[in-house]
Amino acid sequence: MKKNTIAVPAALILSASVILGGCGKSDASGGREGAGEVYVYNWGEYIDEEVISMFEEETGIKVIYDMFETNEDMYPVIEAGGRTYDVVCPSDYMIQKMVENNMLAEINFDNVPNISHIDPVYMERSKSFDPENKYSVPYCWGTVGILYNTGMVAPEDAPTRWSDLWDDKFSGEILMQDSVRDAFMVALKSLNYSMNSEDEAQLTQARDLLIAQKPLVQAYVIDQVRDKMIGGEAAVGVIYSGEMLYIQEEVEAQGLDYDLEYVIPEEGTNVWIDSWVIPSSAKNKENAEAWINFLCRPEIAKMNFEYITYPTPNKGAFDLLDDDLKNNKALFPDVDSLDNCEVFQYLGDEVDSIYNNLWKEVKSN
């Protein structure tokens, strides 16, 4: 779930389609001239553009590339079918929704032999939204945790639990995610409930907890968490693990006199997975499978990791990384530390409506 995206105006998206679609050589030496096209729909800044060129040069397949900002923006575009995409990269719960609404085609894995490089751990976690692993191939993953400033938080006060975000000692120094499911995840987990709760009483309790927290919250933000924390504007913030490599590099580059530490709270958290899927309306399915197979190649997955900085589920790519990256627990936490974690699930339109209405009450209170 790419989190450091920005709003992309429609005119720029169309421009990006032309620019990225023409950056390769469909008749390049070694490619298959006249191999056709593949229409790709992905998060902003979620691929190394050189990878697109390499795919086109190797396969002869022309890439027409569009970007979306959120899962909720992407879904109605695919549902309406006004523009037919061949391969899309949604998040876990949205893939589940698309499967339940017969919007995805089964992948022919004979055309995706490089799926063998995906760590079985992430194929198993994918079963929570794609029970038989028939529709999706993991691309990136991550966790949500608490980032804290060691110059503003004493060692004995370092947060270890979500419930610490209700401690008065952090008053005015807390950055929360301006996202209904992420905000409710923090509250539900602090109450030891599932972040996929459908129990209205539990959700109401979580709402009340979020309202009680509001006097302590400096701001509800999304992309700004990273820069505000680097700038020392807040002591603690809820953030996505994929931001950590950038944050660590910036702290070192700026020579800051404090560190920013990342913690996965003891109550557990969201382990999210973004995966490639093929809409049932795709007109170039084999080309889509060629695209997925190419991105699963270890050296290509490594290139994308170095560009995106979000953890890769590709074991072959992971094995190619330097030891300091492999051992970076903020990026690649031990599997054992994820025991209390969950993957977001699509809960149905009725439950979604309950979440949204309760969130409006939190924001307006």
Side-chain angles (χ1 to χ4, degrees):
M1 188 176 295
K2 187 67 167 82
K3 298 299 180 183
N4 59 348
T5 55
I6 58 175
V8 184
L12 292 183
I13 291 176
L14 293 176
S15 174
S17 301
V18 175
I19 293 169
L20 296 180
C23 65
K25 301 176 182 177
S26 60
D27 58 352
S29 176
R32 296 183 287 112
E33 185 174 0
E37 303 170 325
V38 62
Y39 285 77
V40 180
Y41 204 23
N42 194 11
W43 301 84
E45 299 183 46
Y46 216 28
I47 195 167
D48 185 335
E49 290 182 20
E50 187 178 350
V51 166
I52 299 173
S53 298
M54 292 169 65
F55 173 79
E56 291 186 312
E57 290 169 359
E58 179 173 312
T59 66
I61 299 170
K62 181 181 179 182
V63 177
I64 296 87
Y65 191 96
D66 285 352
M67 295 174 284
F68 59 85
E69 184 181 4
T70 69
N71 285 292
E72 288 68 27
D73 291 337
M74 175 278 303
Y75 183 87
V77 173
I78 302 301
E79 184 180 38
R83 179 157 194 176
T84 302
Y85 290 98
D86 300 308
V87 61
V88 186
C89 189
S91 302
D92 32 56
Y93 70 97
M94 192 57 71
I95 293 172
Q96 181 185 353
K97 181 175 181 178
M98 296 172 84
V99 169
E100 291 182 8
N101 286 284
N102 300 312
M103 292 171 61
L104 299 181
E106 292 187 23
I107 297 172
N108 179 358
F109 287 101
D110 290 341
N111 294 331
V112 191
N114 285 330
I115 195 173
S116 62
H117 297 295
I118 302 298
D119 193 319
V121 168
Y122 304 104
M123 297 302 296
E124 187 63 31
R125 286 191 177 274
S126 295
K127 289 182 179 178
S128 67
F129 55 89
D130 181 7
E132 298 179 58
N133 290 139
K134 295 195 298 187
Y135 299 99
S136 62
V137 175
Y139 179 57
C140 290
W141 72 281
T143 59
V144 180
I146 300 172
L147 189 70
Y148 69 93
N149 185 318
T150 60
M152 301 173 71
V153 178
E156 63 271 19
D157 292 332
T160 60
R161 301 178 60 83
W162 289 122
S163 57
D164 291 334
L165 298 181
W166 277 260
D167 195 313
D168 287 342
K169 67 183 172 224
F170 295 130
S171 180
E173 297 290 347
I174 299 171
L175 299 175
M176 285 287 287
Q177 284 291 320
D178 191 9
S179 162
V180 55
R181 289 297 299 270
D182 287 317
F184 270 83
M185 180 274 292
V186 172
L188 288 165
K189 281 294 189 182
S190 72
L191 293 165
N192 293 314
Y193 297 146
S194 168
M195 68 184 196
N196 292 306
S197 176
E198 300 180 39
D199 186 312
E200 192 163 0
Q202 292 181 359
L203 298 180
T204 300
Q205 191 177 350
R207 176 207 61 191
D208 293 344
L209 199 60
L210 289 170
I211 291 173
Q213 184 202 33
K214 285 187 72 175
L216 308 179
V217 175
Q218 181 187 118
Y220 293 94
V221 289
I222 298 181
D223 303 334
Q224 303 96 319
V225 175
R226 180 182 72 183
D227 295 331
K228 279 180 171 289
M229 291 297 295
I230 292 172
E233 297 179 41
V236 294
V238 179
I239 200 166
Y240 302 92
S241 61
E243 305 285 6
M244 286 310 303
L245 185 57
Y246 174 86
I247 287 170
Q248 290 164 348
E249 290 173 347
E250 280 298 300
V251 167
E252 182 177 356
Q254 294 184 28
L256 300 178
D257 59 0
Y258 50 81
D259 287 324
L260 296 174
E261 298 290 341
Y262 180 80
V263 176
I264 296 177
E266 295 171 7
E267 303 101 324
T269 189
N270 170 23
V271 177
W272 57 265
I273 300 175
D274 290 347
S275 302
W276 291 106
V277 299
I278 300 175
S280 54
S281 58
K283 295 179 180 177
N284 302 289
K285 186 171 184 287
E286 289 190 6
N287 287 352
E289 289 162 348
W291 170 266
I292 295 171
N293 190 55
F294 186 80
L295 294 181
C296 286
R297 190 183 298 176
E299 62 271 23
I300 299 300
K302 178 177 179 286
M303 283 181 65
N304 276 329
F305 164 75
E306 291 171 343
Y307 179 83
I308 303 168
T309 74
Y310 274 56
T312 175
N314 190 300
K315 189 177 186 304
F318 179 83
D319 290 341
L320 295 174
L321 299 178
D322 294 336
D323 286 343
D324 60 338
L325 285 173
K326 291 180 184 177
N327 296 324
N328 187 326
K329 297 307 179 184
L331 282 174
F332 298 105
D334 293 326
V335 174
D336 289 345
S337 71
L338 304 180
D339 282 349
N340 295 326
C341 299
E342 301 174 78
V343 174
F344 273 136
Q345 295 180 351
Y346 167 59
L347 305 175
D349 291 343
E350 184 175 341
V351 177
D352 276 356
S353 180
I354 294 173
Y355 271 88
N356 290 332
N357 289 334
L358 292 174
W359 179 234
K360 289 177 183 176
E361 293 177 25
V362 171
K363 297 299 290 291
S364 63
N365 190 280

